[in-house]
Amino acid sequence: MTATLTPTIPENPLDAEERTALVLSLLSHDQDQELLEYLATMAVGEVASVIEGLPPSLRQELWNLIPEESHGELLTWLSDPVRNGLLKKMDQAEVITATRALGSQELADIIDDLSTSLGEAILESLEEDERSQVEKQLSYGEDTAGRLMRTKWVAVRADITLETVSRYLHMRGEMPPYTDGLMVVDREGRYEGKLPVDILLTMDSSLTVNEVMQHDTDYVCAEATTAEVTALFERRELLSLAVLDDNHHLIGRISIDDAMPLIRAEAEAPMMQMAGLHEDEDLFAPIIPSALRRMVWLAVNLATAFLASWVIGRFEGTLQQIVALAVLMPIVASMGGIAGSQTLTLAIRGLALGQITDTNSHWLAKKEIAIAAINGITWAVVVGVIVWLWFGSSGIALVLGAAMLINLLAAAFSGVVIPLLLQRFGIDPALSG
């Protein structure tokens, strides 16, 4: 009788790929207790990553093993498609139990993806003040600072001493995560600035908050877009950011922990969309919906391929007489494609970061065309020499060299202009890929 080898949990930390492989192995060997013990050693984000790396059937099996009290926090870490798939398999009581301990920001995010009846059931299960706060956040647009903000912060007035602030903090006993400073407000709750924690700890305690606080600090309005929020965090290297209403009252706070997933999503989105994919697409999404989403962009590519073939067909007679042109034509097309992709990637990145505007776009176009001209002339000479040595025809060498130069110039021009035109018409520039 052959003994079955079962996986063992290593003592040293594993990378993401090794974690997923070990969980798969533990699941396949029905080592539920060992699996739960191993999951307990992992951070919530690591567990969420493992869940997203499993096929739907095993994903559901693992989810059912995880204690219900851990479901709520895990839901906030999962991508929308994976989270929605798990929520659809849970009954109303399970969803309410899982979301009971979540904050208003997480609840608003999850309720947005649920059916109206289930969302209302969750709201009805909340205390009145918490329900009011969640409903207020739901009133803001999905991609706004008001939806992203959290409603826990520490606020003090400017006319009190640092000693009074320190006593107040000792009485509180704790502060919200990523608190790099205390919010300073007046008696009506209007935002006046921030008191950095390092100043509070190092300055003379007899000084007032007004004497040492930062008066000119960054903040955003509740209706500001998440793109504006992430830009501030990236450019100013912030840890937290105040959110104000139209009357300049402090209504929330956004921390780097809230902004980081958006920054990461913005970085991934252009490359995904250039391939015709959505940045939140589930790795193991159902086959038919995934196929349909990609079919659209394959159709667009097919149309452009037929257009190119039609252009080539206009020169069928020439190609029949000079076979060398047909042999060498893919070289020119390939070089043009690479040059266009280089310029396109640079343009999309600049648009995403807000670095390209109507006033400086012509400078970028001139720069890219100049680069294309230098590369075009260089590689036209190289290709011309190779073709001349290969086929012994100076005429073909000149034609291929000229085609190389013109193609690289056209690619650079298109790589800059097409994303700018798409943005002007309200279309995501990344789709120009």
Side-chain angles (χ1 to χ4, degrees):
M1 184 174 180
T2 305
T4 303
L5 295 176
T6 56
T8 57
I9 299 175
E11 295 181 1
N12 298 323
L14 303 178
D15 60 26
E17 183 180 348
E18 292 170 334
R19 284 195 298 268
T20 302
L22 178 57
V23 169
L24 275 169
S25 183
L26 290 169
L27 276 173
S28 64
H29 288 86
D30 295 322
Q31 292 182 270
D32 295 351
Q33 187 57 41
E34 290 84 352
L35 176 57
L36 289 175
E37 291 175 359
Y38 177 56
L39 293 178
T41 67
M42 298 165 58
V44 180
E46 293 173 338
V47 177
S49 178
V50 168
I51 292 174
E52 293 179 346
L54 298 177
S57 59
L58 293 177
R59 182 183 292 164
Q60 190 64 49
E61 183 179 344
L62 178 60
W63 183 257
N64 293 336
L65 286 174
I66 295 173
E68 287 187 0
E69 57 267 24
S70 301
H71 283 177
E73 191 175 7
L74 269 172
L75 286 172
T76 65
W77 280 85
L78 295 170
S79 62
D80 289 348
V82 175
R83 181 174 64 198
N84 294 341
L86 292 172
L87 286 170
K88 287 178 182 178
K89 300 290 181 66
M90 300 168 66
D91 59 35
Q92 181 172 302
E94 289 176 323
V95 175
I96 292 175
T97 301
T99 57
R100 184 166 294 154
L102 299 180
S104 58
Q105 190 263 356
E106 290 92 350
L107 278 172
D109 192 29
I110 289 176
I111 288 174
D112 238 1
D113 296 327
L114 300 176
S115 64
T116 303
S117 59
L118 185 52
E120 290 177 350
I122 292 176
L123 288 173
E124 289 175 2
S125 70
L126 302 175
E127 298 292 336
E128 185 176 348
D129 57 342
E130 189 176 6
R131 180 170 65 250
S132 175
Q133 183 57 53
V134 174
E135 289 174 341
K136 183 178 180 181
Q137 289 202 250
L138 284 169
S139 68
Y140 295 110
E142 186 175 353
D143 296 321
T144 63
R147 179 63 66 86
L148 184 63
M149 70 181 182
R150 297 181 185 273
T151 54
K152 291 184 179 180
W153 65 85
V154 180
V156 296
R157 293 202 308 274
D159 57 352
I160 63 176
T161 65
L162 299 185
E163 182 181 1
T164 303
V165 175
S166 297
R167 287 202 306 266
Y168 168 62
L169 293 179
H170 283 299
M171 289 175 59
R172 282 182 57 95
E174 62 178 7
M175 290 194 293
Y178 300 98
T179 298
D180 59 324
L182 311 184
M183 304 297 183
V184 183
V185 297
D186 64 13
R187 294 181 182 275
E188 284 74 39
R190 285 187 290 267
Y191 183 68
E192 294 186 331
K194 182 185 288 187
L195 172 63
V197 172
D198 59 338
I199 290 179
L200 172 64
L201 296 175
T202 57
M203 298 295 287
D204 186 345
S205 61
S206 63
L207 295 172
T208 65
V209 172
N210 185 61
E211 291 177 295
V212 297
M213 64 179 280
Q214 295 177 348
H215 293 270
D216 186 19
T217 58
D218 294 301
Y219 63 86
V220 290
C221 295
E223 298 295 341
T225 65
T226 52
E228 294 173 304
V229 172
T230 55
L232 276 174
F233 274 95
E234 287 182 293
R235 294 171 184 171
R236 304 295 180 87
E237 298 183 346
L238 303 175
L239 288 179
S240 66
L241 185 65
V243 182
L244 313 182
D245 65 11
D246 294 337
N247 297 316
H248 213 72
H249 290 107
L250 178 65
I251 59 172
R253 184 182 74 105
I254 299 173
S255 70
I256 184 64
D257 187 45
D258 303 312
M260 190 55 67
L262 295 175
I263 295 172
R264 185 170 60 248
E266 285 184 2
E268 295 172 353
M271 295 307 297
M272 293 287 285
Q273 291 174 344
M274 284 175 69
L277 304 175
H278 193 275
E279 62 265 30
D280 284 334
E281 184 163 344
D282 183 5
L283 183 65
F284 295 102
I287 294 173
I288 298 302
S290 297
L292 291 175
R293 278 195 296 268
R294 302 187 192 189
M295 193 178 294
V296 173
W297 300 108
L298 289 172
V300 172
N301 185 72
L302 182 63
T304 58
F306 271 118
L307 177 62
S309 298
W310 175 78
V311 173
I312 293 171
R314 303 285 292 176
F315 299 91
E316 181 180 0
T318 304
L319 293 174
Q320 287 178 346
Q321 296 177 30
I322 308 175
V323 180
L325 292 178
V327 173
L328 298 169
M329 188 167 51
I331 298 175
V332 178
S334 175
M335 292 291 284
I338 293 172
S341 295
Q342 290 173 335
T343 304
L344 182 70
T345 301
L346 186 68
I348 291 175
R349 178 181 178 274
L351 288 170
L353 296 176
Q355 296 174 338
I356 300 178
T357 64
D358 291 339
T359 56
N360 65 10
S361 58
H362 66 284
W363 291 101
L364 177 64
K366 288 179 181 178
K367 172 206 162 190
E368 290 301 314
I369 290 174
I371 292 173
I374 294 172
N375 281 324
I377 293 171
T378 301
W379 293 110
V381 172
V382 172
V383 169
V385 170
I386 294 174
V387 169
W388 178 66
L389 294 174
W390 188 356
F391 294 97
S393 171
S394 58
I396 295 178
L398 287 173
V399 169
L400 263 294
M404 181 72 70
L405 175 58
I406 294 171
N407 205 20
L408 291 184
L409 289 172
F413 179 79
S414 301
V416 173
V417 172
I418 292 177
L420 292 173
L421 287 175
L422 288 178
Q423 186 184 52
R424 188 172 292 251
F425 289 117
I427 304 173
D428 190 342
L431 297 180
S432 58

